[in-house]
Amino acid sequence: MAGLALKDVRKQYGKVEVIKGIDLDVADGEFVVFVGPSGCGKSTLLRMIAGLEEISSGTLSIGGRVVNDLSPKERGIAMVFQSYALYPHKTVYDNMAFGLQLAKAPTSEIDAKVKRAAGILHMEHLLDRKPSQLSGGQRQRVAIGRAIVRNPEVFLFDEPLSNLDAALRVTMRAELSKLHRDLGATMIYVTHDQVEAMTLADKIVVLEAGVVQQAGTPLQLYHNPQNRFVAGFIGSPKMNFIPVEIAEAGSGGVTVASADLARTLIPVAPDAAVAGAKAVLGIRPEHVTGGDRPVTFKGRVELVERLGHQTVVEVATAGGATVTALLDGTTLVRPGETLTLGFDPADAHLFGESGRAMERFHLPEIARMTRRTAA
Amino acid sequence: MKTRGEHLLLVIIAVVVLAFVLAPLFLMFATAFKADENQILRDFGNANAFWVWPSEMSLENFRQVLGNDTFPVLRYMANSVLIVVSIVVLGILVNSLAAYALARLVFPGRNILVIAVIALIIVPMESLAVPLLLMMNQVGWVDTYQAQIVPFIAHPFSIFLFYQFFAVLPKDLDEAAYVDGASRLQTYWKIVMPLSLPTIATVAILQSLEYWNAFLWPLMVTRGSDVRPISLALAQFFGTPPPIWGDVMAFSVLMSLPILVIYIAFQRWFIQSAIGSGVKG
Ligand SMILES: Nc1ncnc2c1ncn2[C@@H]1O[C@H](COP(=O)(O)OP(=O)(O)O)[C@@H](O)[C@H]1O
Ligand SMILES: [Mg+2]
């Protein structure tokens, strides 16, 4: 097992730079998830770690050894492809055994390793089948089995669950999480699905346009996003953004106001905020509740979605903002009504003109912990 | 939905077309098994030409053809088998490797090379025969097997067929094999080729047909019976007057058998690949 270190890693295709200088440390045994919108460079970065794409500049080390010029096999990685990439003409057994057969491992050793991997994934009964005789979930298992058999230093996954239906995705997610605990291996996992990222990761790396926007534990990213992009990307439904103007900035916080909000003190470090500057207030839908909170505003109800346990309400404010609120499932509300909503300024985020977050004074204890201490 | 009338029309057309295709084959087989040359000549005037009654069947013609001392049919046959098998086996390797390189490796001039290969498909053998003969003369290969094998191993249409197949074969498979520790050649041999069986079958059938029936080139490049293929021998046999139809047809049957065997052996894959490429459009 081994950790990884990326130092100023870049990738160019011709003149276009798609990975723009990534610095990242992955601890031994950590489950790291690369998440970001489609086309942001997640797969490219993963493939560079795998050794399938050349690294244009910078260094990649695995287990303290620079591996830029080594082949995937020499890097000690195994990869699970989005398409599974099972060899269609080989049985499940031979799919898993192929790497060891190439390495000329003794048959008894191959047999033991394949059987062990099949046991871990509960697919001993599938070993004689061809991939075409398997369901999507079973193929997924074989692809993971093929990785396990090689006993790699680092597992790499590229959107492994995206071809499965929703129910199976949830099951496999739990299994992957368990697999990580059982094997204790370093895993790097690419997805565009922030729920997968939140549930699986020890550490999430949010990428956008080839740049790391933020890296941290899921709850650090949720409670303490460092910029608007991360704030908007992590969490579902998305964080609300309300344009405001800074009225006053002091050591106690930043006072903001807007067409919809009376002067409100947000408990964040003012940084370079100055009175009169524009800013954006962020508040998550789950923190927007009824009108009994310290800060209130009014809006016209545009949309009501009843999920049973919760009601998703979208209101349009007089100031032109659209705010989503997660209200109690039994809330009586109809489209067209005027609704008073409110929130606690301690739950709010404030982003300066550049999009950078101002540091919040009040963070829940859990946002400071790593996954392991929290669990 | 088709109406009954349309359906009937289609069936009739199919039967007519089939009759045209099969009639010569029936004629060939029927005549080959008729011992009496006069009977054959009489039958040519009516529908009996396409049929032989089991009671009239005889292997006399075959005995004569195979027993002809001036005409070593089995030798010609062996020559043809050697030549065609060599071309097909080496051709599958060389053409698929070329196509694999064109489909997977990145190098300058690759696209131009692909276009050049496709363009070469339309160049007919006849236009190359004379310069090729001069070359053979230069290297002293006239009247050898290799003169009939080496120039035909590389086959643009086969390269094109393999290229088309590799182009749609997911690259993930190559990459998975690479991650598993396979070299390029191992990937080609253990992953790509086993998946190409339908294409291999198609190429094998097309090439064997083409070279089993080759005529012009062997005529130019061979002298005696030592390395001559059976296609040429048939023409010679046929051209020696007067034609004895029973023998000619027995000869033709002998010559057709190997190709029939190959077709039947490969047809499952062959048809599969034709269907497969049809579905993909
Ligand atoms: N071989 C390539 N040549 C040129 N551009 C590429 C190549 N592969 C990927 N890209 C570009 O790199 C960017 C990142 O792609 P990718 O890593 O696949 O994104 P993601 O996996 O995050 O969706 C995209 O804009 C894509 O168009
Ligand atoms: Mg991707």
Side-chain angles (χ1 to χ4, degrees):
Chain A
M1 298 303 145
L4 278 85
L6 284 75
K7 289 212 175 57
D8 196 27
V9 165
R10 290 168 189 274
K11 176 75 191 178
Q12 272 120 348
Y13 287 114
K15 287 202 171 60
V16 188
E17 192 167 53
V18 296
I19 298 293
K20 299 168 184 163
I22 304 257
D23 290 292
L24 182 70
D25 283 309
V26 176
D28 182 12
E30 207 170 18
F31 198 126
V32 174
V33 174
F34 293 168
V35 67
S38 178
C40 69
K42 310 176 294 284
S43 295
T44 305
L45 186 58
L46 192 76
R47 291 165 54 81
M48 288 161 78
I49 295 172
L52 293 170
E53 297 282 353
E54 215 173 304
I55 298 171
S56 303
S57 71
T59 57
L60 165 67
S61 348
I62 299 179
R65 183 172 63 125
V66 175
V67 297
N68 281 42
D69 298 323
L70 300 186
S71 71
K73 188 179 76 168
E74 295 162 321
R75 292 181 189 198
I77 59 97
M79 179 146 167
V80 176
F81 291 78
Q82 182 170 4
S83 66
Y84 314 144
L86 302 181
Y87 312 124
H89 59 299
K90 289 183 183 287
T91 61
V92 168
Y93 184 99
D94 284 329
N95 260 282
M96 295 205 277
F98 186 57
L100 295 171
Q101 287 165 350
L102 286 171
K104 304 242 181 322
T107 321
S108 57
E109 183 194 326
I110 295 177
D111 200 57
K113 285 187 171 172
V114 170
K115 296 256 161 74
R116 182 180 148 261
I120 292 174
L121 296 166
H122 311 293
M123 52 177 206
E124 295 96 332
H125 59 296
L126 301 176
L127 288 174
D128 293 328
R129 299 219 194 145
K130 293 276 178 66
S132 60
Q133 298 164 316
L134 301 176
S135 69
Q138 291 170 331
R139 284 177 207 187
Q140 174 68 76
R141 259 171 241 269
V142 178
I144 295 170
R146 188 165 68 181
I148 294 175
V149 163
R150 302 195 44 237
N151 195 21
E153 310 263 350
V154 181
F155 284 84
L156 304 174
F157 299 90
D158 192 356
E159 310 221 11
L161 306 186
S162 61
N163 290 333
L164 303 179
D165 63 53
L168 202 51
R169 210 145 54 210
V170 174
T171 317
M172 283 308 293
R173 209 165 70 200
E175 283 197 30
L176 275 175
S177 199
K178 181 168 179 306
L179 187 73
H180 175 241
R181 262 179 286 132
D182 292 350
L183 297 178
T186 310
M187 294 188 174
I188 301 182
Y189 184 105
V190 161
T191 180
H192 63 268
D193 178 356
Q194 57 100 18
V195 177
E196 269 174 38
M198 293 297 282
T199 50
L200 284 170
D202 293 322
K203 175 150 90 191
I204 295 180
V205 178
V206 181
L207 288 168
E208 194 215 10
V211 176
V212 174
Q213 294 291 334
Q214 188 172 354
T217 67
L219 291 182
Q220 273 167 6
L221 267 59
Y222 177 83
H223 289 291
N224 198 17
Q226 272 160 23
N227 55 48
R228 259 188 79 173
F229 179 81
V230 176
F233 196 80
I234 300 289
S236 175
K238 279 192 189 329
M239 185 187 280
N240 296 300
F241 294 113
I242 303 169
V244 293
E245 195 167 293
I246 295 175
E248 204 180 319
S251 57
V254 177
T255 306
V256 300
S258 83
D260 300 312
L261 298 175
R263 282 168 65 100
T264 306
L265 179 71
I266 311 288
V268 295
D271 281 343
V274 290
K278 291 199 184 317
V280 172
L281 181 143
I283 183 79
R284 294 196 181 277
E286 50 272 41
H287 295 141
V288 180
T289 50
D292 57 343
R293 310 314 309 267
V295 186
T296 60
F297 58 94
K298 280 190 193 329
R300 218 173 69 92
V301 177
E302 299 278 308
L303 182 75
V304 179
E305 287 178 333
R306 299 199 176 276
L307 305 179
H309 67 303
Q310 279 178 326
T311 306
V312 184
V313 177
E314 218 176 88
V315 304
T317 65
T322 304
V323 177
T324 306
L326 279 185
L327 305 180
D328 192 79
T330 53
T331 311
L332 289 170
V333 60
R334 260 194 219 100
E337 285 178 6
T338 300
L339 191 64
T340 303
L341 294 171
F343 61 89
D344 186 337
D347 290 328
H349 304 249
L350 197 59
F351 305 95
E353 278 214 274
S354 65
R356 268 191 62 80
M358 300 177 202
E359 201 183 324
R360 298 172 69 200
F361 292 147
H362 307 294
L363 277 183
E365 188 56 31
I366 199 160
R368 298 179 208 281
M369 293 177 170
T370 66
R371 172 166 292 252
R372 281 175 204 154
T373 53
Chain B
M1 279 305 291
K2 292 189 191 69
T3 65
R4 277 179 71 100
E6 281 170 342
H7 206 87
L8 195 69
L9 189 71
L10 281 179
V11 170
I12 291 171
I13 293 175
V15 167
V16 170
V17 170
L18 199 66
F20 268 99
V21 172
L22 290 183
L25 281 176
F26 271 82
L27 180 89
M28 176 179 83
F29 276 101
T31 311
F33 288 102
K34 290 175 187 168
D36 181 356
E37 187 67 18
N38 292 325
Q39 172 78 37
I40 290 172
L41 289 174
R42 269 202 309 282
D43 283 352
F44 274 1
N46 57 50
N48 273 341
F50 304 102
W51 193 248
V52 56
W53 297 106
S55 56
E56 295 173 8
M57 265 175 91
S58 127
L59 293 175
E60 183 54 31
N61 296 329
F62 291 93
R63 209 168 290 134
Q64 274 171 21
V65 168
L66 294 172
N68 190 332
D69 289 336
T70 57
F71 227 82
V73 172
L74 288 178
R75 172 76 196 214
Y76 292 131
M77 186 83 100
N79 288 344
S80 273
V81 169
L82 177 76
I83 291 165
V84 169
V85 167
S86 306
I87 291 178
V88 168
V89 171
L90 295 172
I92 285 168
L93 286 175
V94 168
N95 296 318
S96 62
L97 276 170
Y100 190 55
L102 290 175
R104 287 292 189 273
L105 303 183
V106 181
F107 55 89
R110 179 176 76 160
N111 291 337
I112 294 178
L113 214 53
V114 172
I115 291 167
V117 166
I118 293 170
L120 280 175
I121 294 173
I122 57 167
V123 176
M125 171 61 210
E126 286 73 14
S127 66
L128 299 176
V130 171
L132 204 53
L133 183 62
L134 295 178
M135 278 172 68
M136 293 299 124
N137 255 324
Q138 287 285 319
V139 295
W141 279 9
V142 171
D143 222 15
T144 60
Y145 287 122
Q146 61 265 36
Q148 300 177 76
I149 295 169
V150 175
F152 308 107
I153 293 171
H155 191 254
F157 190 57
S158 301
I159 297 177
F160 173 69
L161 284 179
F162 277 117
Y163 177 81
Q164 260 198 327
F165 178 74
F166 296 157
V168 297
L169 193 68
K171 283 204 177 70
D172 281 4
L173 290 176
D174 298 60
E175 291 181 342
Y178 184 43
V179 170
D180 266 338
S183 67
R184 279 260 187 228
L185 270 181
Q186 283 173 321
T187 306
Y188 160 82
W189 189 246
K190 299 190 173 186
I191 305 295
V192 173
M193 282 314 257
L195 292 173
S196 310
L197 287 180
T199 308
I200 292 174
T202 309
V203 163
I205 289 180
L206 289 179
Q207 286 218 41
S208 12
L209 273 178
E210 186 172 339
Y211 297 112
W212 188 260
N213 296 327
F215 180 74
L216 179 69
W217 181 247
L219 182 68
M220 291 167 74
V221 86
T222 63
R223 303 277 183 265
S225 62
D226 284 359
V227 298
R228 243 179 203 193
I230 191 156
S231 50
L232 206 51
L234 174 68
Q236 238 174 335
F237 191 76
F238 196 71
T240 318
I244 303 168
W245 290 109
D247 290 3
V248 168
M249 291 303 165
F251 201 127
S252 302
V253 167
L254 285 176
M255 184 177 154
S256 311
L257 278 181
I259 225 66
L260 217 61
V261 169
I262 290 181
Y263 185 79
I264 290 168
F266 283 109
Q267 62 127 9
R268 199 169 55 93
W269 293 340
F270 185 61
I271 289 171
Q272 219 175 46
S273 81
I275 290 170
S277 51
V279 171
K280 273 176 220 135

